[in-house]
Short mmCIF file of all heavy atoms in Angstrom, two decimals:
data_model
loop_
_atom_site.label_atom_id
_atom_site.label_comp_id
_atom_site.label_asym_id
_atom_site.label_seq_id
_atom_site.Cartn_x
_atom_site.Cartn_y
_atom_site.Cartn_z
N ALA A 42 114.80 -73.61 -132.97
CA ALA A 42 114.11 -73.63 -131.68
C ALA A 42 112.96 -74.54 -131.55
O ALA A 42 112.71 -75.11 -130.58
CB ALA A 42 113.66 -72.18 -131.44
N GLU A 43 112.31 -74.73 -132.68
CA GLU A 43 111.08 -75.70 -132.72
C GLU A 43 111.52 -77.12 -132.57
O GLU A 43 110.81 -77.83 -131.86
CB GLU A 43 110.29 -75.48 -134.01
CG GLU A 43 109.68 -74.04 -134.28
CD GLU A 43 108.82 -73.78 -133.02
OE1 GLU A 43 107.93 -74.56 -132.61
OE2 GLU A 43 108.82 -72.62 -132.47
N THR A 44 112.65 -77.47 -133.07
CA THR A 44 113.19 -78.79 -132.92
C THR A 44 113.37 -78.99 -131.36
O THR A 44 112.97 -80.01 -130.82
CB THR A 44 114.51 -79.01 -133.64
OG1 THR A 44 114.34 -78.81 -135.04
CG2 THR A 44 115.03 -80.36 -133.38
N LEU A 45 113.95 -78.00 -130.74
CA LEU A 45 114.34 -78.13 -129.30
C LEU A 45 113.11 -78.17 -128.42
O LEU A 45 113.03 -78.85 -127.41
CB LEU A 45 115.38 -77.07 -128.83
CG LEU A 45 116.79 -77.18 -129.52
CD1 LEU A 45 117.69 -76.13 -128.97
CD2 LEU A 45 117.42 -78.52 -129.44
N LYS A 46 112.12 -77.38 -128.77
CA LYS A 46 110.88 -77.33 -127.93
C LYS A 46 110.30 -78.76 -127.90
O LYS A 46 109.60 -78.99 -126.97
CB LYS A 46 109.95 -76.27 -128.66
CG LYS A 46 110.21 -74.82 -128.29
CD LYS A 46 109.42 -73.80 -128.84
CE LYS A 46 109.81 -72.40 -128.59
NZ LYS A 46 108.93 -71.35 -129.20
N SER A 47 110.36 -79.45 -129.00
CA SER A 47 109.77 -80.81 -129.08
C SER A 47 110.52 -81.81 -128.29
O SER A 47 110.06 -82.92 -127.93
CB SER A 47 109.63 -81.22 -130.58
OG SER A 47 111.01 -81.53 -131.03
N LEU A 48 111.85 -81.33 -127.92
CA LEU A 48 112.75 -82.40 -127.17
C LEU A 48 112.86 -82.09 -125.74
O LEU A 48 113.11 -82.92 -124.92
CB LEU A 48 113.99 -82.38 -127.94
CG LEU A 48 114.12 -83.03 -129.28
CD1 LEU A 48 115.48 -82.74 -129.85
CD2 LEU A 48 113.69 -84.51 -129.44
N PHE A 49 112.84 -80.78 -125.48
CA PHE A 49 113.11 -80.32 -123.98
C PHE A 49 112.13 -80.90 -123.19
O PHE A 49 110.84 -81.06 -123.43
CB PHE A 49 113.09 -78.77 -123.91
CG PHE A 49 114.23 -78.10 -124.34
CD1 PHE A 49 115.28 -78.74 -124.94
CD2 PHE A 49 114.56 -76.75 -123.97
CE1 PHE A 49 116.53 -78.16 -125.28
CE2 PHE A 49 115.69 -76.15 -124.33
CZ PHE A 49 116.67 -76.84 -125.06
N GLY A 50 112.56 -81.32 -121.96
CA GLY A 50 111.60 -82.02 -120.92
C GLY A 50 111.95 -83.48 -120.93
O GLY A 50 111.84 -84.18 -119.91
N ARG A 51 112.68 -83.98 -122.04
CA ARG A 51 113.25 -85.38 -121.92
C ARG A 51 114.56 -85.27 -121.23
O ARG A 51 115.21 -84.29 -120.98
CB ARG A 51 113.46 -85.95 -123.34
CG ARG A 51 112.23 -86.02 -124.17
CD ARG A 51 112.62 -86.67 -125.55
NE ARG A 51 111.57 -86.56 -126.48
CZ ARG A 51 111.77 -87.10 -127.71
NH1 ARG A 51 112.81 -87.94 -128.13
NH2 ARG A 51 110.74 -86.91 -128.69
N THR A 52 115.05 -86.54 -120.84
CA THR A 52 116.43 -86.60 -120.15
C THR A 52 117.51 -86.23 -121.19
O THR A 52 117.12 -86.43 -122.40
CB THR A 52 116.62 -87.82 -119.41
OG1 THR A 52 116.48 -88.92 -120.41
CG2 THR A 52 115.69 -88.08 -118.38
N LEU A 53 118.60 -85.88 -120.88
CA LEU A 53 119.63 -85.51 -121.86
C LEU A 53 120.08 -86.71 -122.75
O LEU A 53 120.28 -86.46 -123.84
CB LEU A 53 120.88 -84.99 -121.17
CG LEU A 53 121.81 -83.99 -121.93
CD1 LEU A 53 120.95 -82.83 -122.28
CD2 LEU A 53 122.90 -83.54 -120.95
N PRO A 54 120.21 -87.96 -122.21
CA PRO A 54 120.65 -89.07 -123.07
C PRO A 54 119.44 -89.31 -124.08
O PRO A 54 119.77 -89.67 -125.37
CB PRO A 54 120.67 -90.34 -122.16
CG PRO A 54 121.10 -89.67 -120.94
CD PRO A 54 120.36 -88.36 -120.78
N ASP A 55 118.23 -89.10 -123.72
CA ASP A 55 117.08 -89.23 -124.72
C ASP A 55 117.17 -88.20 -125.82
O ASP A 55 116.96 -88.49 -127.03
CB ASP A 55 115.73 -88.98 -123.99
CG ASP A 55 115.37 -90.29 -123.26
OD1 ASP A 55 115.93 -91.39 -123.48
OD2 ASP A 55 114.37 -90.21 -122.43
N ILE A 56 117.51 -86.90 -125.40
CA ILE A 56 117.66 -85.85 -126.45
C ILE A 56 118.86 -86.17 -127.38
O ILE A 56 118.80 -86.03 -128.69
CB ILE A 56 117.98 -84.60 -125.74
CG1 ILE A 56 116.68 -84.05 -125.01
CG2 ILE A 56 118.29 -83.38 -126.67
CD1 ILE A 56 116.71 -82.87 -124.12
N ALA A 57 119.90 -86.74 -126.83
CA ALA A 57 121.17 -87.02 -127.58
C ALA A 57 120.68 -88.09 -128.59
O ALA A 57 121.21 -88.06 -129.66
CB ALA A 57 122.26 -87.50 -126.71
N ARG A 58 120.05 -89.22 -128.25
CA ARG A 58 119.63 -90.14 -129.20
C ARG A 58 118.74 -89.63 -130.31
O ARG A 58 118.89 -90.10 -131.45
CB ARG A 58 118.90 -91.28 -128.36
CG ARG A 58 119.91 -92.25 -127.63
CD ARG A 58 119.06 -93.55 -127.17
NE ARG A 58 118.12 -93.12 -125.98
CZ ARG A 58 118.38 -93.13 -124.71
NH1 ARG A 58 119.66 -93.46 -124.36
NH2 ARG A 58 117.56 -92.75 -123.88
N ALA A 59 117.89 -88.70 -129.98
CA ALA A 59 117.05 -88.11 -130.96
C ALA A 59 117.72 -87.20 -131.94
O ALA A 59 117.43 -87.34 -133.13
CB ALA A 59 115.86 -87.32 -130.39
N ILE A 60 118.76 -86.57 -131.59
CA ILE A 60 119.33 -85.62 -132.39
C ILE A 60 120.56 -86.40 -133.24
O ILE A 60 120.78 -86.02 -134.37
CB ILE A 60 120.03 -84.51 -131.65
CG1 ILE A 60 118.90 -83.61 -130.97
CG2 ILE A 60 120.97 -83.56 -132.47
CD1 ILE A 60 119.40 -82.48 -130.14
N PHE A 61 121.21 -87.36 -132.52
CA PHE A 61 122.32 -87.98 -133.20
C PHE A 61 122.08 -89.46 -133.30
O PHE A 61 122.79 -90.27 -132.78
CB PHE A 61 123.63 -87.80 -132.36
CG PHE A 61 123.86 -86.37 -131.94
CD1 PHE A 61 123.82 -85.99 -130.59
CD2 PHE A 61 124.19 -85.44 -132.85
CE1 PHE A 61 124.12 -84.58 -130.26
CE2 PHE A 61 124.40 -84.03 -132.39
CZ PHE A 61 124.31 -83.78 -131.07
N PRO A 62 121.05 -89.79 -134.02
CA PRO A 62 120.72 -91.35 -134.24
C PRO A 62 121.75 -92.15 -134.87
O PRO A 62 121.72 -93.38 -134.58
CB PRO A 62 119.30 -91.23 -135.09
CG PRO A 62 119.50 -89.99 -135.86
CD PRO A 62 120.15 -89.02 -134.94
N ASN A 63 122.56 -91.55 -135.68
CA ASN A 63 123.67 -92.38 -136.41
C ASN A 63 124.86 -92.49 -135.70
O ASN A 63 125.86 -93.16 -136.20
CB ASN A 63 123.88 -91.79 -137.70
CG ASN A 63 122.58 -91.79 -138.61
OD1 ASN A 63 121.83 -92.77 -138.59
ND2 ASN A 63 122.37 -90.75 -139.47
N GLU A 64 125.02 -91.88 -134.49
CA GLU A 64 126.26 -91.93 -133.84
C GLU A 64 126.15 -92.99 -132.74
O GLU A 64 125.06 -93.36 -132.13
CB GLU A 64 126.48 -90.57 -132.95
CG GLU A 64 126.61 -89.43 -133.87
CD GLU A 64 127.94 -89.39 -134.68
OE1 GLU A 64 128.80 -90.14 -134.30
OE2 GLU A 64 127.95 -88.57 -135.66
N CYS A 65 127.26 -93.56 -132.15
CA CYS A 65 127.09 -94.59 -131.12
C CYS A 65 126.87 -93.90 -129.79
O CYS A 65 126.99 -92.69 -129.75
CB CYS A 65 128.53 -95.36 -131.08
SG CYS A 65 129.79 -94.26 -130.38
N PRO A 66 126.42 -94.67 -128.80
CA PRO A 66 125.92 -94.05 -127.61
C PRO A 66 126.96 -93.16 -126.93
O PRO A 66 126.67 -92.14 -126.48
CB PRO A 66 125.49 -95.18 -126.70
CG PRO A 66 125.11 -96.24 -127.66
CD PRO A 66 126.03 -96.12 -128.87
N ALA A 67 128.22 -93.65 -126.85
CA ALA A 67 129.30 -92.80 -126.34
C ALA A 67 129.48 -91.48 -127.02
O ALA A 67 129.72 -90.41 -126.37
CB ALA A 67 130.57 -93.60 -126.32
N ARG A 68 129.40 -91.57 -128.34
CA ARG A 68 129.61 -90.30 -129.11
C ARG A 68 128.40 -89.34 -128.96
O ARG A 68 128.45 -88.22 -128.88
CB ARG A 68 129.80 -90.65 -130.59
CG ARG A 68 130.00 -89.33 -131.53
CD ARG A 68 131.23 -88.52 -131.16
NE ARG A 68 131.50 -87.61 -132.25
CZ ARG A 68 132.13 -86.42 -131.96
NH1 ARG A 68 132.74 -86.26 -130.80
NH2 ARG A 68 132.35 -85.61 -133.02
N GLN A 69 127.17 -90.00 -128.83
CA GLN A 69 126.03 -89.16 -128.54
C GLN A 69 126.22 -88.35 -127.27
O GLN A 69 125.99 -87.12 -127.25
CB GLN A 69 124.79 -90.07 -128.50
CG GLN A 69 124.31 -90.65 -129.80
CD GLN A 69 123.18 -91.76 -129.57
OE1 GLN A 69 122.87 -92.04 -128.44
NE2 GLN A 69 122.58 -92.17 -130.70
N LEU A 70 126.58 -89.05 -126.23
CA LEU A 70 126.76 -88.28 -125.07
C LEU A 70 127.84 -87.26 -124.98
O LEU A 70 127.75 -86.24 -124.50
CB LEU A 70 127.02 -89.40 -123.92
CG LEU A 70 125.83 -90.19 -123.51
CD1 LEU A 70 126.26 -91.25 -122.45
CD2 LEU A 70 124.65 -89.55 -123.09
N GLU A 71 128.97 -87.68 -125.70
CA GLU A 71 130.05 -86.75 -125.90
C GLU A 71 129.62 -85.45 -126.52
O GLU A 71 129.88 -84.23 -126.10
CB GLU A 71 131.17 -87.35 -126.69
CG GLU A 71 132.37 -86.35 -126.91
CD GLU A 71 133.50 -86.91 -127.79
OE1 GLU A 71 133.18 -88.09 -128.42
OE2 GLU A 71 134.54 -86.45 -127.84
N LEU A 72 128.82 -85.59 -127.65
CA LEU A 72 128.41 -84.47 -128.38
C LEU A 72 127.42 -83.61 -127.60
O LEU A 72 127.47 -82.43 -127.59
CB LEU A 72 127.70 -84.87 -129.73
CG LEU A 72 128.70 -85.48 -130.83
CD1 LEU A 72 127.87 -86.08 -131.86
CD2 LEU A 72 129.42 -84.28 -131.31
N ILE A 73 126.49 -84.26 -126.85
CA ILE A 73 125.40 -83.42 -126.17
C ILE A 73 126.05 -82.78 -125.03
O ILE A 73 125.75 -81.64 -124.66
CB ILE A 73 124.34 -84.38 -125.68
CG1 ILE A 73 123.10 -83.51 -125.42
CG2 ILE A 73 124.61 -85.15 -124.48
CD1 ILE A 73 122.40 -83.06 -126.66
N HIS A 74 127.12 -83.25 -124.40
CA HIS A 74 127.84 -82.51 -123.38
C HIS A 74 128.58 -81.36 -123.86
O HIS A 74 128.66 -80.29 -123.24
CB HIS A 74 128.75 -83.53 -122.44
CG HIS A 74 127.90 -84.38 -121.69
ND1 HIS A 74 127.11 -83.94 -120.58
CD2 HIS A 74 127.84 -85.84 -121.61
CE1 HIS A 74 126.57 -84.94 -119.92
NE2 HIS A 74 126.93 -86.03 -120.50
N LEU A 75 129.22 -81.53 -125.04
CA LEU A 75 129.83 -80.32 -125.73
C LEU A 75 128.80 -79.30 -125.98
O LEU A 75 129.06 -78.11 -125.79
CB LEU A 75 130.54 -80.82 -127.04
CG LEU A 75 131.85 -81.74 -126.75
CD1 LEU A 75 132.34 -82.20 -128.15
CD2 LEU A 75 132.92 -80.79 -126.11
N CYS A 76 127.71 -79.70 -126.41
CA CYS A 76 126.66 -78.66 -126.80
C CYS A 76 126.25 -78.05 -125.50
O CYS A 76 125.96 -76.77 -125.49
CB CYS A 76 125.39 -79.34 -127.37
SG CYS A 76 125.58 -79.96 -129.10
N CYS A 77 125.97 -78.77 -124.41
CA CYS A 77 125.63 -78.10 -123.10
C CYS A 77 126.69 -77.12 -122.60
O CYS A 77 126.32 -76.11 -122.12
CB CYS A 77 125.20 -79.18 -122.19
SG CYS A 77 123.73 -80.05 -122.49
N GLU A 78 128.00 -77.50 -122.75
CA GLU A 78 129.04 -76.61 -122.25
C GLU A 78 128.91 -75.22 -123.11
O GLU A 78 129.02 -74.26 -122.40
CB GLU A 78 130.43 -77.24 -122.50
CG GLU A 78 130.60 -78.38 -121.55
CD GLU A 78 132.04 -79.07 -121.76
OE1 GLU A 78 132.62 -78.66 -122.75
OE2 GLU A 78 132.44 -80.01 -121.05
N ARG A 79 128.69 -75.38 -124.33
CA ARG A 79 128.65 -74.09 -125.14
C ARG A 79 127.33 -73.33 -124.86
O ARG A 79 127.39 -72.15 -124.73
CB ARG A 79 128.62 -74.46 -126.62
CG ARG A 79 128.57 -73.23 -127.61
CD ARG A 79 129.65 -72.24 -127.26
NE ARG A 79 129.60 -71.04 -128.01
CZ ARG A 79 129.97 -69.83 -127.58
NH1 ARG A 79 130.44 -69.76 -126.44
NH2 ARG A 79 129.80 -68.74 -128.34
#
Side-chain angles (χ1 to χ4, degrees):
E43 292 307 312
T44 302
L45 297 187
K46 286 177 182 178
S47 71
L48 295 172
F49 276 14
R51 302 187 195 182
T52 61
L53 209 59
D55 285 343
I56 294 174
R58 281 190 290 270
I60 294 177
F61 310 116
N63 297 324
E64 305 287 348
C65 70
R68 180 60 171 162
Q69 289 173 351
L70 292 178
E71 179 186 11
L72 287 169
I73 203 70
H74 285 299
L75 289 172
C76 287
C77 289
E78 287 176 0
R79 180 57 185 148

